[in-house]
Amino acid sequence: MSADERSEGATVTDATLAEICAVACAEAWRGRGWVYWRQGKFDEAAQSFGQALALAQDPALKREAMLKWGESHVRGGKLADGVAKLKAYLQSTPS
């Protein structure tokens, strides 16, 4: 069976491809955020976690990105921004 015959019944719509890319991109931004976090580069970590949050569709990934986004701001010395983001995290996350 040729590659064309195998792929004939399997089509990927633009919407499906966009969803797959969004998930992969959100996870990549989260991973990048963790790399910067571990290096102590909190401004870069905050930017990466913010991008992950903007793209995330999975609730667990959104929560993690939102928490680390706020923490990165605090650790980077941007206390007011960090505290505001952490308050938003607490309000959005059930206890």
Side-chain angles (χ1 to χ4, degrees):
M1 180 182 293
S2 72
D4 289 337
E5 291 171 328
R6 283 193 304 268
S7 65
E8 190 172 300
T11 60
V12 177
T13 65
D14 287 344
T16 302
L17 187 56
E19 183 178 335
I20 292 167
C21 288
V23 169
C25 286
E27 291 174 357
W29 279 107
R30 175 185 58 183
R32 185 173 187 246
W34 276 110
V35 168
Y36 284 132
W37 176 274
R38 289 182 181 113
Q39 293 174 345
K41 297 178 179 178
F42 299 110
D43 289 340
E44 292 88 345
Q47 290 174 341
S48 297
F49 287 123
Q51 286 294 326
L53 178 59
L55 295 169
Q57 298 173 5
D58 176 62
L61 178 54
K62 281 184 178 186
R63 285 190 303 273
E64 179 187 350
M66 187 177 231
L67 175 62
K68 299 313 289 182
W69 190 35
E71 288 179 346
S72 295
H73 277 85
V74 170
R75 298 279 303 262
K78 297 177 181 168
L79 296 178
D81 285 343
V83 168
K85 287 168 179 42
L86 291 170
K87 284 181 180 180
Y89 167 78
L90 289 173
Q91 290 174 350
S92 71
T93 304
S95 34

